[in-house]
Amino acid sequence: MSDDLESALRDLGTRLDVPPPPDVTTAVLSRLDEKHSRWRPVHRLVAAAVAAAVALATAMVVSPAVRAAVYDLLRIGSVEIYENQQAPASLTPSVDAPLPGERDVSLAEARGLADFPLRLPTKLGPPATVRLVDGGRVISMAFASPHGQIRVDEIDGGLDPMFRKFASADDIHHVTVADRPAVWVDRPHVVIYTDRDGTMRQESARLAGSTLIWDDNGVTYRVEGELTQHQAIELAESLR
């Protein structure tokens, strides 16, 4: 650019009437404050929800009653456990009521008819009785022991729930069997068998004693008898 042209442009700039730029600072700050105000209630709700969740989680750990109010249904394989709920009034518990198609068979026959491999506790001798239930959906074995009769049920866990248990939340304890989640119910409780069509059968409602329940590789196991929690877990972990 020549010196003459530069001088001419400088001179023109001094004679141009240019209005001052508008002050947008106030408007921008106002818009930001308005947006922040809209989000502030949301932040408060989120914070309150987080605080409530933490409080509820703490209460569930401390109080079985609070835990039952949130989770009134547990599921272990083919067994559903209803906490703090009464069994249907029409289903009167009966200790001797048979399950559908229940019949005595030999251990070899049970192994051939079951759709899953049977496991026996190494801490006990051979089963005193073996019962086939509902065409092999359940194999129920009774064993003699120093603690009285012990019952071991092995259930096809790949099917819909077959057993429904009704117990107080105070009687339900979360434990493990060989590092797998399990449930220990330490008092007698009502057990109902659900038929193949999903109907709860009145004739199969019964009372069960203290019971340990867990699931392993698609098979649900129940150990029932006059056992302590430790004895039941020790027996369960000996199944081979």
Side-chain angles (χ1 to χ4, degrees):
M1 182 182 297
S2 66
D3 292 340
D4 292 339
L5 179 58
E6 183 177 352
S7 298
L9 291 175
R10 288 179 183 276
D11 181 67
L12 178 62
T14 60
R15 290 185 284 112
L16 289 175
D17 185 15
V18 180
D23 183 9
V24 297
T25 304
T26 302
V28 172
L29 291 177
S30 177
R31 291 289 299 276
L32 290 175
D33 186 66
E34 180 184 353
K35 184 176 180 180
H36 185 265
S37 297
R38 289 201 305 268
W39 281 100
R40 190 176 293 121
V42 177
H43 293 163
R44 291 198 188 100
L45 289 174
V46 172
V50 171
V54 172
L56 179 60
T58 303
M60 288 175 64
V61 171
V62 174
S63 170
V66 174
R67 185 169 61 246
V70 178
Y71 297 114
D72 61 353
L73 172 64
L74 299 173
R75 173 80 183 267
I76 300 287
S78 291
V79 177
E80 286 184 345
I81 304 171
Y82 293 79
E83 299 182 358
N84 290 343
Q85 294 189 45
Q86 296 293 325
S90 61
L91 298 173
T92 304
S94 172
V95 176
D96 298 323
L99 296 175
E102 185 172 349
R103 63 186 177 91
D104 289 340
V105 296
S106 68
L107 181 59
E109 188 177 358
R111 290 187 188 278
L113 293 173
D115 292 331
F116 48 88
L118 293 184
R119 296 165 64 181
L120 302 180
T122 59
K123 290 186 170 293
L124 300 175
T129 60
V130 181
R131 289 184 177 178
L132 186 78
V133 177
D134 212 355
R137 297 177 83 196
V138 181
I139 304 297
S140 183
M141 297 175 284
F143 298 84
S145 81
H147 309 289
Q149 187 182 80
I150 295 175
R151 178 174 169 174
V152 177
D153 290 342
E154 304 188 9
I155 309 160
D156 187 347
L159 300 174
D160 292 333
M162 285 184 276
F163 287 96
R164 286 174 166 84
K165 293 172 171 281
F166 296 81
S168 166
D170 293 333
D171 300 332
I172 297 173
H173 308 275
H174 296 266
V175 296
T176 59
V177 171
D179 296 325
R180 301 189 69 86
V183 170
W184 168 249
V185 186
D186 61 7
R187 292 187 186 181
H189 52 281
V190 177
V191 179
I192 296 171
Y193 186 83
T194 304
D195 214 337
R196 289 178 181 269
D197 61 1
T199 302
M200 291 188 291
R201 296 173 58 101
Q202 180 171 347
E203 62 269 28
S204 61
R206 61 179 64 196
L207 286 174
S210 300
T211 308
L212 179 67
I213 309 160
W214 75 103
D215 184 83
D216 187 9
N217 290 326
V219 181
T220 306
Y221 298 90
R222 296 173 66 249
V223 171
E224 177 189 332
E226 297 300 321
L227 300 168
T228 66
Q229 176 181 305
H230 175 75
Q231 289 168 339
I233 292 175
E234 190 175 54
L235 178 64
E237 291 182 340
S238 76
L239 288 180
R240 297 289 184 273

